[in-house]
Amino acid sequence: MNALAATNRNFKLASRLLGLDSKLEKSLLIPFREIKVECTIPKDDGTLASFVGFRIQHDNARGPMKGGIRYHPEVDPDEVNALAQLMTWKTAVANIPYGGAKGGIGCNPGDLSISELERLTRVFTQKIHDLIGVHTDVPAPDMGTNPQTMAWILDEYSKFHGYSPAVVTGKPIDLGGSLGRDAATGRGVLFATEALLHEHGKSIAGQRFVVQGFGNVGSWAAQLISENGGKIVAASDITGAVKNSKGLDIPSLLKHVKETRGVKGFAGGDPIDADSILVEDCDILLPAALGGVINRENANDIKAKFIIEAANHPTDPEADEILAKKGVVILPDIYANSGGVTVSYFEWVQNIQGFLWDEEKVNNELKTYMINGFKGMKEMCKTHNCDLRMGAFTLGVNRVARATVLRGWEA
């Protein structure tokens, strides 16, 4: 089942639990606007190249639309639609005043020079500048984009609308980015894990973790978990996987990854097959890479008691059912990885106020939002007698539905 089908299925299940009528359900699913633009740029050798840029704006009942911009050669419209919709529910679960969006450009950023990427980003911004905005739609980095990409968007947008730092988040600190943004998703994963374990009378200290995906989110989560006494017994990324049943030395692993651009060859652990990482023996599994990695093929072999979805949509609906029968507790992505968008919201707030918070305030506010999100999700679980995924979906969908009705938008 692809990401869009799975997201639609979860939405429909939540909608039924909430008793939404079919007209409202339909209007919540249909995207607000889909934008597709041609971006033609001169390459460094003087030839012209054309790329397709797009933005799917899903819902703005609760506030400006929010979501990443990815540069990737295979941009699947269905996947982008699903991710835009997921952002609508995720921002509602986090209780921040946004709706959902997603977008990007179909290109391979590795094949383009820095100056070509800059030209492409600026042309894309010229094409969509009147469709994004501080109170309309606020982009952020995603796969293949970074703070520099956001800086170019900010500069190009400001040529049309005056200096507007709040038009994008995930910016460099020097242009109004927020302290603590880099670690935000990983730190949110830490707070989410703490909240879940506390519910089960446990703490992070002494628990054995497996981290699949050692990029920004996975590496920050691993670092913060190990600082709080958790043991990371295995970690993997695109280059390979390592395990150490006594616990990997995370500071050394981070140093190794920085130097060699991957976990492969790390001396402080034994190499293992990266495909087997998900079924390694551990207490808590943390998928922090791609979607769809936990499926009916491997779900029966998973030994973890808890799964914290740091990635978007890592668990297939079929695997969900298998794992539920085994008694595995899954903390769903739309709650577990919402730390990033929450701190993006703090960045936007700081830009609008023109007032920079210190890092301690950012982290404390994030912790408050993650704890409140967990409480809201658990309350929905009790009300509707459902698992955590449906608890999160009913919480998010209900908030968006209420805003839609209050604004007089229901069909």
Side-chain angles (χ1 to χ4, degrees), residues 379-400:
E379 275 167 28
M380 288 309 245
C381 291
K382 288 194 187 95
T383 305
H384 298 290
N385 189 24
C386 59
D387 64 6
L388 289 167
R389 190 179 309 283
M390 272 306 110
F393 264 88
T394 50
L395 178 65
V397 171
N398 192 41
R399 281 178 174 157
V400 179

Side-chain angles (χ1 to χ4, degrees), residues 159-397:
K159 289 175 184 174
F160 296 95
H161 303 274
Y163 183 60
S164 316
V167 73
V168 286
T169 59
K171 298 181 294 295
I173 303 290
D174 297 332
L175 284 176
S178 177
L179 298 168
R181 175 67 189 88
D182 191 44
T185 311
R187 194 175 294 278
V189 168
L190 170 79
F191 294 148
T193 307
E194 282 179 338
L196 178 66
L197 291 176
H198 181 70
E199 183 84 9
H200 290 264
K202 301 176 193 291
S203 71
I204 283 188
Q207 298 292 325
R208 296 168 308 136
F209 290 78
V210 163
V211 180
Q212 186 243 357
F214 212 72
N216 171 280
V217 180
S219 62
W220 271 111
Q223 185 180 333
L224 295 164
I225 285 165
S226 73
E227 283 170 11
N228 281 272
K231 254 196 336 195
I232 314 290
V233 294
S236 74
D237 65 8
I238 200 157
T239 65
V242 288
K243 74 180 272 193
N244 183 337
S245 51
K246 295 190 178 74
L248 295 162
D249 177 356
I250 297 300
S252 304
L253 179 58
L254 289 165
K255 188 165 175 270
H256 173 82
V257 168
K258 200 174 177 184
E259 286 165 3
T260 67
R261 305 191 70 118
V263 302
K264 188 180 177 184
F266 177 59
D270 302 317
I272 53 168
D273 179 16
D275 294 335
S276 71
I277 186 98
L278 297 164
V279 299
E280 282 297 321
D281 187 28
C282 64
D283 303 310
I284 299 161
L285 175 61
L286 226 146
L290 296 168
V293 293
I294 299 171
N295 47 45
R296 65 173 177 219
E297 270 80 56
N298 58 13
N300 276 313
D301 303 324
I302 285 176
K303 299 175 184 70
K305 301 170 197 71
F306 300 94
I307 296 175
I308 315 289
E309 294 189 334
N312 281 322
H313 182 62
T315 316
D316 266 4
E318 291 168 326
D320 252 350
E321 287 173 22
I322 296 167
L323 292 162
K325 286 189 185 118
K326 288 174 64 174
V328 178
V329 177
I330 301 177
L331 197 61
D333 52 0
I334 63 167
Y335 164 70
N337 68 25
S338 64
V341 71
T342 303
V343 175
S344 274
Y345 163 61
F346 299 161
E347 180 179 333
W348 181 76
V349 167
Q350 291 170 74
N351 295 154
I352 290 171
Q353 285 185 320
F355 182 77
L356 186 67
W357 300 357
D358 63 34
E359 192 163 350
E360 192 183 356
K361 179 174 168 70
V362 172
N363 294 343
N364 288 340
E365 290 285 345
L366 174 59
K367 186 166 192 174
T368 303
Y369 271 79
M370 294 304 294
I371 288 168
N372 290 342
F374 188 80
K375 285 179 185 159
M377 181 171 64
K378 285 300 291 186
E379 275 167 28
M380 288 309 245
C381 291
K382 288 194 187 95
T383 305
H384 298 290
N385 189 24
C386 59
D387 64 6
L388 289 167
R389 190 179 309 283
M390 272 306 110
F393 264 88
T394 50
L395 178 65
V397 171

Side-chain angles (χ1 to χ4, degrees), residues 142-162:
D142 200 316
M143 278 161 56
T145 56
N146 57 29
Q148 179 60 70
T149 321
M150 298 304 108
W152 292 327
I153 295 174
L154 159 62
D155 182 68
E156 199 60 33
Y157 180 86
S158 297
K159 289 175 184 174
F160 296 95
H161 303 274

